Amino acid sequence: KQDFATYNHYLLEHFQSLANMTKVRKSSGEPDEFENQVAQELLNLEMTSTELKASLRDLYITAAKEVDCGAGRKAIVLYVPYKLQKSFQRIQAKLVRELEKKFSGRHVIIIAERKILGKSYARSQKTKGLRPRSRTLTAVQDAILEDIVYPTEITGKRTRCKVEGSRLLKVYLDGRDQANVEGRIDTYASVYNKLTHKQVSFHFSS
């Protein structure tokens, strides 16, 4: 019995190690306990879901974080390589739905990793030219906003300056998605604030 239990423990550790290597690939350091948990769920879906199996085979995340949204609510943010974003988006609705079941209804948001290049950025001699606009702070924050609300389309934005000097970004989403998205907009606002330190409110266009 002891040998059998030891063997089972070995198999469990081996399976977990496989999940870590294939489903979470960090640029530096080892995955933390939560990232290992997410990696395990992704591998489970790859092995058991007929709809996701083929699509998930070559996909992986680079990080996973829990975000406190206040009032006892938490969201899960998955970071994925920019080059794999379109592949994730093809299955995002189904994948998010399945992961939210696994994580007790916590909202799951998928964001592509992007690198911000500062104003002091200088290209090498081989690649002369201006800093790519897609790498500026503003462009990256705009892209994060689009990732957070995906697949809902942003139809408009307005910045409102408050009396005390702070700014509030009002974002208008496609009204056709209101029924599906309305219960998530508080999460969207909390996650965007945590990632960018900017205040945002979401509304629906008519």
Side-chain angles (χ1 to χ4, degrees):
K1 288 183 178 179
Q2 187 173 1
D3 287 345
F4 184 71
T6 302
Y7 180 67
N8 275 350
H9 181 69
Y10 166 77
L11 283 180
L12 188 64
E13 285 193 337
H14 179 71
F15 193 65
Q16 181 68 66
S17 176
L18 181 66
N20 297 349
M21 288 188 296
T22 60
K23 291 300 163 195
V24 54
R25 302 181 193 177
K26 300 179 72 71
S27 56
S28 61
E30 294 294 319
D32 60 27
E33 184 178 348
F34 182 67
E35 288 170 332
N36 287 339
Q37 188 182 352
V38 172
Q40 184 70 63
E41 293 299 346
L42 288 172
L43 189 61
N44 288 346
L45 286 172
E46 182 183 324
M47 298 182 72
T48 60
S49 171
T50 51
E51 292 181 71
L52 296 173
K53 182 179 293 186
S55 300
L56 277 175
R57 189 171 295 127
D58 297 320
L59 299 183
Y60 58 90
I61 63 171
T62 55
K65 298 186 185 304
E66 281 191 293
V67 175
D68 188 351
C69 298
R73 296 177 299 112
K74 287 189 175 182
I76 297 171
V77 178
L78 305 184
Y79 290 92
V80 303
Y82 180 75
K83 65 180 180 180
L84 295 180
Q85 184 183 29
K86 289 192 183 303
S87 297
F88 269 99
Q89 287 179 341
R90 290 189 196 104
I91 59 168
Q92 187 157 323
K94 174 69 175 174
L95 178 60
V96 165
R97 192 161 58 246
E98 291 299 320
L99 287 174
E100 288 181 348
K101 288 180 194 173
K102 303 286 186 184
F103 287 99
S104 307
R106 277 173 283 176
H107 291 155
V108 173
I109 292 171
I110 299 175
I111 294 177
E113 276 203 323
R114 297 175 178 87
K115 188 175 181 180
I116 297 170
L117 299 176
K119 292 180 180 179
S120 60
Y121 166 76
R123 285 179 178 264
S124 66
Q125 289 184 343
K126 291 182 180 178
T127 55
K128 292 180 180 179
L130 298 173
R131 172 179 55 154
R133 189 191 172 280
S134 62
R135 298 292 187 87
T136 64
L137 176 64
T138 301
V140 169
Q141 290 181 341
D142 286 346
I144 288 172
L145 186 60
E146 290 176 2
D147 287 355
I148 287 173
V149 304
Y150 184 86
T152 300
E153 184 181 347
I154 295 173
T155 58
K157 295 179 195 173
R158 290 179 189 168
T159 301
R160 187 177 132 211
C161 296
K162 295 185 179 180
V163 177
E164 73 276 14
S166 64
R167 292 186 171 192
L168 174 69
L169 177 63
K170 298 180 76 171
V171 177
Y172 294 87
L173 303 176
D174 190 335
R176 291 174 295 182
D177 287 346
Q178 184 168 354
N180 297 325
V181 175
E182 198 161 22
R184 305 174 74 91
I185 57 175
D186 288 343
T187 300
Y188 292 168
S190 296
V191 170
Y192 187 72
N193 177 254
K194 293 284 185 184
L195 298 182
T196 67
H197 306 294
K198 288 187 173 183
Q199 297 293 327
V200 64
S201 65
F202 291 95
H203 311 269
F204 293 94
S205 56
S206 54

